[in-house]
Amino acid sequence: MKPFTYERPTTPAAAAAAVTRRPDAKFIAGGTNLLDLMKLQIETPGHLVDVQDLRLDTIEATDDGGLRIGARVTNTALASDPRVRRDYGVLARAILAGASGQLRNKATTAGNLLQRTRCPYFYDTYQPCNKRQPGSGCAAIGGYGRPLAVIGGSDACIATHPSDMAVALRLLDARVETVTADGTTRAIPIADFHRLPGDTPHVETALARGELITAVTLPKPLGGTHVYRKVRDRASYAFALVSVAAVIRPDGTGRVALGGVAPKPWRAEAAEAELPSGAKAVADALLAGARPTADNAFKLPLVERTIAAAISDARE
Amino acid sequence: MKFEHPAGLNPIDRLTVVGRPVDRIDGPLKTTGTALYAHERHDVAPNQAYGVVVGAAIARGRVETIDVRAARAAPGVLAVVTTLDVPRLGRGRMNYAYLFGGAEIQHYHQAIAVVVAETFEQARAAAALIRADYTPEQGRFDLAAEAGHAPLHGDGDEPVHRVGDFETAFAAAPVTLDRTYTTPDQSHVMIEPHATVAVWDGDRLTLWTSNQMIAWSKKAVADILGMPAEKVRVVSPYVGGGFGGKLFVRADAVLAALGAKAAGRPVRVALTRPLVINNTTHRPATIQRIRIGAERDGRITAIAHESTSGNLPDGSPETAVAQTKLLYAGAARMIAMRLARLDLPEGNAMRAPGEAPGMMALEIAIDEMAEALGLDPVEFRIRNDTQVDPAHPGRPFSYRDLVGCLRLGAERFGWSARDPKPASVRDGRWLIGLGVAAGFRNNLLTKSSARVELDRHGVVTVSTDMTDIGTGSYTIIAQTAAEMLGVGLEKVVVRLGDSDFPASAGSGGQWGANNATAGVYAACVRLRDAVARKLGLNATDIDFADGEVMSGDRRVPLGEAAGEGLSAEDGIEYGSLAKDYQQSTFAGHFVEVAVDAHTGETRLRRMLAVCSAGRILNPKSARSQVIGAMTMGAGAALMEKLSVDTRRGFFVNHDLAGYEVPVHADIPHQEVIFLDEADPISSPMKAKGVGELGLCGVGAAIANAIYNATGVRVRDYPITLDTYLDRLPRPA
Ligand SMILES: Cc1cc2nc3c(=O)[nH]c(=O)nc-3n(C[C@H](O)[C@H](O)[C@H](O)COP(=O)(O)OP(=O)(O)OC[C@H]3O[C@@H](n4cnc5c(N)ncnc54)[C@H](O)[C@@H]3O)c2cc1C
Ligand code: SF4
């Protein structure tokens, strides 16, 4: 960890300005991801701008019947909110499938969306990694690829986005609200929020430097049965090999999004039209063009099987 | 005391304290955080500085230059020592990798420098500034690729162990099996990483460290640093788990010593988790071929077990075939090991070395064979029980009740309800299966000493360099002394883990409990003699009970007998009983699993172990050993695997996010039953080890249960869903 300075502004625009001012500044929320990365010198900010006094920690109803979730609402608070549990069950379940109780108490909505990959080579600073050190190469390609992406990767990077929460947000068509130093706000559709790696795997989101996430909004409830199936090597406290978020309506139509397979939550609206034809059709459409490695090719049949499991869970 | 004849009746047989499920006497210290572990020893020396170890960035080759200028100039830095500053240091007797010194890099994350600073954060930040230039060499990292030309290696015994003519008997057998099984590299990942505080006083060195084997390590430190052993003191009263990873001195101790010398200050060093995995030792992967031939009635006539593993030059193989010499009957036998040269980190002992991976393979093979014969796997094992060493029929087991373990286990577990036809039981989305395996681990004898002192308050103090690695040594040693001297546990003080104390068996190979308590027994016998002499009594007709010495009508409180204090030192040494008898421990492991019909995820539902392991000194701490081992077995069966990058030559998943071990949610109800027995041939304590037995066989019981649940036989560990998803039928 490198020495850093720290400040705690009280308004979102001031926070955005504080990060914009210094090129080596970063926001810090729960710190559950950022501090680990700083200890390993994978992130080396010289200045931290804490978001905890920005009053971004409430969940409110929106005019169009949805919810606005403050950027600093903890994962625990979000998953236990009665409105979320009633109307957005897939979100509550996805969050509770992640990390541990202690971590969720600290982890925040914005921090969770912005958590970085769990590619093991990213964590070993002796290894080339285009995401950590642009242009250095990718040790994972041709190496140990079991946890990595089967689709959406590039010749520069095949890391996955590890968040469970983000998969549910993608399914629900959430929007990410932001503010910049000059007070400009915008709402980014979640589908456009995370970027595919292409030649620049270190650029992971649509955020500009210094742009602060203030909230995530959910449109009005979808109805249907909400399912989140996370498949992993142990019963708890592990990142997904594959996860499936689904909302299934009584007539068999619905939505499906995947985690653990791509550099971002993976959803293809066209694939959802196949839902009435069954899991295989949906999986084939979602994963068309997949380029798995030898040791993660199992994720393709696993996706299909997990979608089948989700459909069958929804029927029960 | 020389133990040469089977034990007769002795004071331990009273079982007023020994054999009782007493709480661990160190428990309150641990639960209140007042038992200080090595890295917390702020109390032992003032002015401590922090060292951070830098590992090599290549797996094989040479480090040419190490630029330390930026690190030296960084805030708070007191000293930097690099591997190029010192000639290659010595090695511990049982180690193959060099810990420090010289330019050669033998494996990834081999230590190349230590940075010492005022604070940990400063040392870590400065360590990141070190720049090294290497000349890499092509290494060998892929066991499967090297296995084909790996030479035979007997690990000190004959390279191929033969009884009868295996090939002929196998060819003639009406029912045969010939299968290959694999087990992966595994890491100990004990909760407390290796850590040391090093303090120099002139030319004397004290290491406050975390280590299982104090006497070995004192010698090893002397050998590595090239100094006389008398000048070295090793202290390790509490150890946060070792599993064999702390049998040896590691880079933390060596670099704390070198760092302290360079900085002129006491220095503490802890290894990071990636260094625990790539800098220290691991359990090597194996490729095991097993062939079994049997008559149609189920009698084994031929059995062969061959295992290939890899290691650094001079290294030894993982002895995964050891149990197959002894576990089942069968006239024709062949056992062999091959050792491939690999440039991965050093392979060495991890809990039940040999038997743990060996049983994982053998006990699937036995299950497969039972099925081929149309026999129940419990019955098949019972039919092939042996009461003698099959290679030397005149050499019986000292005590063996594997049959009792299997029978009682089957009854308690409800084995008869198992449907032998795989994939026949379904509970909602879950496929349900039951599995069984035998457990087997040898009982090792090794000398062990202790000192026992009695003061005028009747307080008994036991001192020995024995370690308590979370196992309960403090408690069973206190129980032994209390039983021998007829006092309550509150009158016993136990001091462990200091090389100033008499040398013990140490903790390893599940030999600690039996040997260390036997050593305390010997010292107590001597103290009883001293008390008798002091009181002018005949040692043979006195009794020690209720805090008093009794002879005829005479009763003297112990404290009074002690006068100004009495002290006795002795140890246990063994004669030929281990040669005359085969000493082993046995178990029946029973497991119920549920496998998700869609995804192939396995969840354990129930586990039972029935153990035949001599006298159980403390059923509570013994149970805790066995359930911990069963948990480790579940990890081995279902998730634990160091993933090798065969191009770059290192274990990639080198943290606890990537190397998964079971969490609470993975472990179901666990039951342990100890058969009520005592083995007078093992020691005066009539006890044996249990700490590794609980691990041996569990993995195969799980694999066999998965087969029973799904109809899919998996022969490669760990049984993660990707090893068999393509064979798992899709649910209707
Ligand atoms: C052991 C472990 C297990 C885990 N398991 C899982 C799991 O199974 N599933 C899962 O989904 N996650 C898992 N996680 C990840 C966890 O969910 C994230 O660490 C957490 O959500 C991050 O939130 P935080 O508030 O702590 O973020 P921080 O660490 O504080 O920040 C993360 C990033 O977000 C940026 N940031 C924070 N707030 C804002 C804001 N308002 N605007 C702009 N940028 C911002 C920071 O600059 C930083 O780059 C695990 C983490 C750990 C340590
Ligand atoms: S996959 Fe991406 S994160 Fe992983 S090593 Fe390659 S570039 Fe780095």
Side-chain angles (χ1 to χ4, degrees):
Chain A
M1 191 179 274
K2 289 196 166 160
F4 57 87
T5 51
Y6 172 88
E7 79 179 285
R8 220 152 88 187
T10 51
T11 69
V19 170
T20 307
R21 248 192 323 269
R22 280 185 61 163
D24 66 340
K26 275 194 90 81
F27 299 111
I28 183 165
T32 60
N33 191 221
L34 183 59
L35 291 175
D36 282 357
L37 295 170
M38 287 168 63
K39 289 174 192 169
L40 296 167
Q41 295 206 7
I42 293 164
E43 304 243 29
T44 50
H47 185 64
L48 289 182
V49 177
D50 195 325
V51 303
Q52 70 174 299
D53 288 347
L54 305 182
R55 273 166 296 210
L56 300 175
D57 49 8
T58 57
I59 305 175
E60 290 155 10
T62 58
D63 296 342
D64 60 358
L67 284 183
R68 173 174 287 105
I69 302 157
R72 211 189 74 80
V73 170
T74 65
N75 286 178
T76 299
L78 182 55
S80 57
D81 185 276
R83 293 161 292 185
V84 173
R85 293 178 49 166
R86 187 186 63 223
D87 297 330
Y88 307 95
V90 65
L91 177 58
R93 284 181 199 133
I95 292 171
L96 293 177
S100 67
Q102 296 92 323
L103 285 160
R104 294 193 299 266
N105 288 343
K106 288 299 284 178
T108 64
T109 309
N112 192 318
L113 276 178
L114 293 172
Q115 65 175 292
R116 306 205 65 195
T117 186
R118 294 283 163 174
C119 169
Y121 296 93
F122 175 73
Y123 282 85
D124 185 336
T125 48
Y126 286 155
Q127 299 301 323
C129 169
N130 289 323
K131 190 186 272 304
R132 175 169 28 78
Q133 209 182 332
S136 61
C138 169
I141 294 174
Y144 168 64
R146 184 172 184 267
L148 302 179
V150 293
I151 194 164
S154 68
D155 291 343
C157 178
I158 55 168
T160 58
H161 193 270
S163 170
D164 292 297
M165 184 194 82
V167 181
L169 291 180
R170 175 70 181 92
L171 188 84
L172 294 169
D173 280 335
R175 293 165 84 82
V176 181
E177 296 188 344
T178 68
V179 64
T180 46
D182 61 6
T184 315
T185 62
R186 62 169 174 156
I188 309 168
I190 185 86
D192 303 331
F193 183 77
H194 292 105
R195 300 188 19 163
L196 293 181
D199 294 337
T200 53
H202 58 290
V203 182
E204 294 175 348
T205 68
L207 293 178
R209 250 208 61 75
E211 189 171 1
L212 174 82
I213 299 178
T214 50
V216 170
T217 58
L218 299 179
K220 69 178 191 320
L222 279 176
T225 304
H226 289 220
V227 182
Y228 190 76
R229 278 296 291 261
K230 179 175 180 181
V231 182
R232 43 190 155 174
D233 289 325
R234 63 181 172 195
S236 175
Y237 204 39
F239 290 94
L241 293 168
V242 153
S243 71
V244 170
V247 171
I248 310 284
R249 297 190 200 89
D251 64 1
T253 64
R255 296 182 182 184
V256 178
L258 305 178
V261 297
K264 59 188 276 190
W266 200 249
R267 183 173 166 213
E269 281 74 353
E272 289 162 3
E274 304 287 346
L275 260 176
S277 327
K280 179 159 178 19
V282 180
D284 286 350
L286 267 169
L287 297 176
R291 290 201 305 166
T293 68
D295 51 4
N296 70 18
F298 74 92
K299 287 189 177 185
L300 304 184
L302 184 59
V303 163
E304 180 198 328
R305 284 168 165 273
T306 311
I307 294 174
I311 293 173
S312 120
D313 283 0
R315 268 199 227 108
E316 272 165 19
Chain B
M1 173 184 289
K2 188 110 190 217
F3 183 71
E4 288 177 295
H5 305 288
L9 204 63
N10 68 41
I12 298 294
D13 293 314
R14 295 187 290 191
L15 298 182
T16 56
V17 197
V18 168
R20 302 291 165 115
V22 301
D23 290 348
R24 275 157 62 158
I25 60 175
D26 49 329
L29 292 177
K30 291 186 173 168
T31 49
T32 56
T34 43
L36 296 184
Y37 291 80
H39 205 255
E40 303 172 308
R41 295 312 297 257
H42 303 273
D43 58 321
V44 296
N47 206 22
Q48 295 178 21
Y50 290 80
V52 165
V53 175
V54 180
I58 61 165
R60 181 157 174 74
R62 289 173 59 82
V63 54
E64 303 295 354
T65 58
I66 302 177
D67 184 347
V68 300
R69 284 169 300 181
R72 280 230 165 87
V77 171
L78 301 165
V80 180
V81 184
T82 81
T83 191
L84 298 178
D85 298 340
V86 287
R88 175 177 264 179
L89 302 179
R91 281 193 298 203
R93 195 163 54 86
M94 277 167 283
N95 291 120
Y96 320 123
Y98 289 92
L99 295 179
F100 203 63
E104 185 190 345
I105 302 299
Q106 291 178 293
H107 64 86
Y108 196 68
H109 275 178
Q110 184 169 325
I112 60 160
V114 62
V115 177
V116 179
E118 291 287 351
T119 71
F120 168 68
E121 288 75 12
Q122 288 171 333
R124 186 175 56 184
L129 297 172
I130 289 200
R131 294 285 167 268
D133 278 330
Y134 302 92
T135 306
E137 281 166 31
Q138 184 56 48
R140 298 181 240 190
F141 310 114
D142 186 352
L143 177 63
E146 301 298 323
H149 46 266
L152 287 164
H153 193 301
D155 195 29
D157 281 339
E158 78 266 76
V160 182
H161 166 93
R162 285 185 177 277
V163 181
D165 178 353
F166 168 77
E167 282 75 12
T168 307
F170 184 70
V175 183
T176 59
L177 164 135
D178 180 354
R179 289 289 186 188
T180 298
Y181 306 84
T182 65
T183 63
D185 297 287
Q186 294 176 342
S187 179
H188 311 82
V189 292
M190 67 303 275
I191 194 73
E192 180 205 22
H194 304 73
T196 301
V197 178
V199 183
W200 288 94
D201 176 9
D203 60 352
R204 307 186 75 86
L205 172 65
T206 303
L207 298 173
W208 306 85
T209 188
S210 183
N211 190 283
Q212 300 174 227
M213 299 295 299
I214 301 303
W216 288 5
S217 296
K218 174 180 166 133
K219 168 94 173 59
V221 169
D223 289 348
I224 292 168
L225 296 178
M227 59 190 284
E230 313 82 71
K231 306 268 186 190
V232 179
R233 181 174 168 216
V234 175
V235 194
S236 184
Y238 300 108
V239 179
F243 308 126
K246 293 177 183 163
L247 289 171
F248 314 116
V249 170
R250 307 312 311 165
D252 57 307
V254 173
L255 293 179
L258 294 182
K261 178 138 260 182
R265 301 245 304 252
V267 167
R268 70 175 61 197
V269 171
L271 298 186
T272 59
R273 195 56 74 181
L275 288 177
V276 169
I277 289 176
N278 276 299
N279 176 272
T280 77
T281 58
H282 66 280
R283 186 202 298 284
T286 64
I287 302 172
Q288 303 178 45
R289 179 184 185 198
I290 297 179
R291 283 173 287 171
I292 305 176
E295 294 294 337
R296 291 200 193 283
D297 65 2
R299 275 181 312 112
I300 294 174
T301 53
I303 184 163
H305 193 162
E306 295 157 89
S307 171
T308 304
S309 57
N311 217 329
L312 290 167
D314 312 337
S316 60
E318 177 73 13
T319 54
V321 296
Q323 70 290 320
T324 309
K325 292 181 180 169
L326 295 163
L327 188 50
Y328 297 112
R333 320 174 73 86
M334 194 273 275
I335 303 293
M337 290 186 291
R338 288 184 173 71
L339 180 64
R341 147 85 191 266
L342 290 181
D343 299 300
L344 290 170
E346 173 175 326
N348 214 313
M350 177 167 148
R351 198 175 193 175
E355 277 106 331
M359 292 295 284
M360 286 166 78
L362 176 64
E363 288 296 286
I364 299 184
I366 292 292
D367 201 66
E368 297 198 60
M369 198 62 195
E371 189 183 35
L373 288 158
L375 277 178
D376 181 90
V378 170
E379 180 53 32
F380 178 51
R381 288 180 172 89
I382 290 173
R383 230 168 255 193
N384 287 288
D385 189 51
T386 174
Q387 292 294 316
V388 297
D389 173 350
H392 309 281
R395 182 171 175 258
F397 281 90
S398 64
Y399 194 104
R400 167 170 170 139
D401 197 6
L402 174 60
V403 171
C405 294
L406 291 166
R407 287 233 161 91
L408 182 65
E411 183 194 316
R412 290 291 180 84
F413 205 66
W415 183 254
S416 59
R418 168 181 176 266
D419 190 332
K421 189 165 156 296
S424 12
V425 182
R426 180 110 189 221
D427 174 9
R429 71 190 229 215
W430 300 101
L431 307 170
I432 308 301
L434 301 189
V436 65
F440 176 92
R441 170 74 172 135
N442 282 326
N443 181 58
L444 305 173
L445 299 180
T446 165
K447 66 180 181 191
S448 191
S449 305
R451 182 163 60 241
V452 188
E453 290 153 295
L454 179 65
D455 75 6
R456 59 197 168 87
H457 307 293
V459 171
V460 177
T461 300
V462 186
S463 307
T464 161
D465 82 358
M466 180 60 190
T467 48
D468 187 322
I469 60 172
T471 42
S473 310
Y474 278 103
T475 311
I476 55 173
I477 284 173
Q479 286 174 277
T480 303
E483 193 75 78
M484 289 299 291
L485 299 169
V487 298
L489 280 174
E490 73 289 348
K491 288 283 195 191
V492 182
V493 175
V494 180
R495 304 190 302 164
L496 299 184
D498 188 328
S499 60
D500 284 353
F501 300 152
S504 73
S507 299
Q510 77 169 13
W511 64 58
N514 180 48
N515 294 293
T517 55
V520 172
Y521 170 96
C524 287
V525 168
R526 190 156 281 212
L527 185 68
R528 287 166 61 116
D529 290 349
V531 170
R533 258 197 321 277
K534 179 110 187 232
L535 297 178
L537 298 170
N538 182 347
T540 51
D541 60 28
I542 61 171
D543 198 10
F544 289 69
D546 305 324
E548 295 179 327
V549 195
M550 290 172 262
S551 175
D553 292 341
R554 201 169 152 204
R555 291 166 157 263
V556 184
L558 258 190
E560 196 181 311
E564 284 312 297
L566 285 173
S567 170
E569 186 174 326
D570 200 359
I572 195 86
E573 277 180 69
Y574 297 92
S576 63
L577 286 175
K579 286 206 184 69
D580 304 339
Y581 295 88
Q582 174 59 38
Q583 299 195 18
S584 306
T585 61
F586 305 88
H589 285 291
F590 293 81
V591 172
E592 178 178 332
V593 301
V595 178
D596 189 302
H598 285 282
T599 63
E601 289 162 286
T602 297
R603 299 290 175 254
L604 301 173
R605 289 200 159 178
R606 289 189 291 146
M607 303 177 87
L608 165 68
V610 182
C611 304
S612 161
R615 170 176 283 155
I616 299 305
L617 300 172
N618 179 334
K620 194 170 187 177
S621 56
R623 175 178 186 278
S624 139
Q625 280 295 289
V626 176
I627 62 173
M630 289 157 79
T631 302
M632 201 174 226
L638 296 175
M639 61 194 82
E640 286 186 46
K641 174 182 183 171
L642 290 169
S643 296
V644 183
D645 185 317
T646 53
R647 308 157 309 164
R648 293 166 182 275
F650 72 109
F651 299 126
V652 183
N653 52 339
H654 52 46
D655 58 32
L656 285 173
Y659 185 83
E660 290 183 18
V661 295
V663 294
H664 287 289
D666 290 298
I667 301 303
H669 179 69
Q670 295 174 308
E671 201 183 336
V672 180
I673 299 170
F674 294 108
L675 298 183
D676 187 11
E677 60 187 52
D679 187 340
I681 293 167
S682 72
S683 82
M685 302 302 292
K686 304 174 186 172
K688 296 192 241 186
V690 295
E692 302 188 333
L693 174 63
L695 171 58
C696 298
V698 180
I702 293 170
N704 296 338
I706 291 174
Y707 175 71
N708 182 241
T710 62
V712 183
R713 185 65 81 178
V714 186
R715 300 183 183 88
D716 301 294
Y717 291 99
I719 308 176
T720 48
L721 57 92
D722 46 324
T723 56
Y724 72 106
L725 200 62
D726 55 340
R727 291 184 279 157
L728 184 67
R730 277 166 210 267

